[in-house]
Amino acid sequence: VIPSYNRGERLGATLESILASDQEGLSFIQVIVVDDGSRVPVCQVAERYVPAHPITVTCIRQQNAGPAAARNAGYGAAVGDVVIFIDDDIIVPVDLIRRHVHAHYLNPRAAIFGRSILIEPVPSTSLYRMLTLLGDDPGAAASSEFLATDVVASGHLSVERTLFVDRKGVYR
């Protein structure tokens, strides 16, 4: 599920990286872009990828209601056992989807998120400092260890559908 607001072409790079994912061992991958009322609809960008790849890509357009509502709308439309939320400016490594699925196998009933390498400078925030501390070298491979935390980053986050069976969504 990719919420997007006024990101247009940047969304294309995110979709390209997801569509290049290693699908080995995965039976179905559904990509849902939720256009959160962008001035120029981002569905035009998402629709370019529909006929070109075996992973399904759909786009939902809603009135602007914010990223939480957009994520929840995508969650409601998703059919998989594991739902991964990916921000519209994240370039994912080829093994990201498989790693999220495997992480849920190792850590059932957990919300799983990982480090995002930030390309553009961002203001120093507690979240940025926490993401930076997850690894000393931004180019290094992610650690195979799991850390419990009270802070959750949205860059890429996944949950098991059974944790939120009412389909109202994950984000409140």
Side-chain angles (χ1 to χ4, degrees), residues 45-111:
V45 174
E47 288 167 357
R48 285 189 232 152
Y49 297 93
V50 174
H53 208 278
I55 296 174
T56 65
V57 178
T58 57
C59 189
I60 300 169
R61 184 163 166 82
Q62 67 180 27
Q63 288 187 347
N64 183 256
R71 288 181 180 109
N72 287 338
Y75 175 83
V79 297
D81 296 331
V82 173
V83 179
I84 304 173
F85 300 94
I86 299 174
D87 287 353
D88 63 357
D89 59 352
I90 300 291
I91 307 301
V92 304
V94 296
D95 62 346
L96 181 108
I97 295 171
R98 284 189 310 103
R99 290 183 70 162
H100 269 273
V101 171
H102 185 67
H104 284 282
Y105 172 77
L106 296 175
N107 301 280
R109 303 190 53 79

Side-chain angles (χ1 to χ4, degrees), residues 116-167:
S116 296
I117 298 171
L118 304 172
I119 297 169
E120 295 180 5
V122 296
S124 181
T125 64
S126 59
L127 176 59
Y128 177 76
R129 286 190 299 278
M130 193 245 350
L131 288 173
T132 302
L133 291 174
L134 288 175
D136 296 327
D137 178 5
S143 169
S144 61
E145 296 180 23
F146 293 94
L147 305 170
T149 181
D150 293 333
V151 178
V152 178
S154 67
H156 58 91
L157 175 138
S158 62
V159 298
E160 297 167 41
R161 174 153 318 279
T162 57
L163 293 177
F164 302 93
V165 294
D166 64 6
R167 296 189 67 82

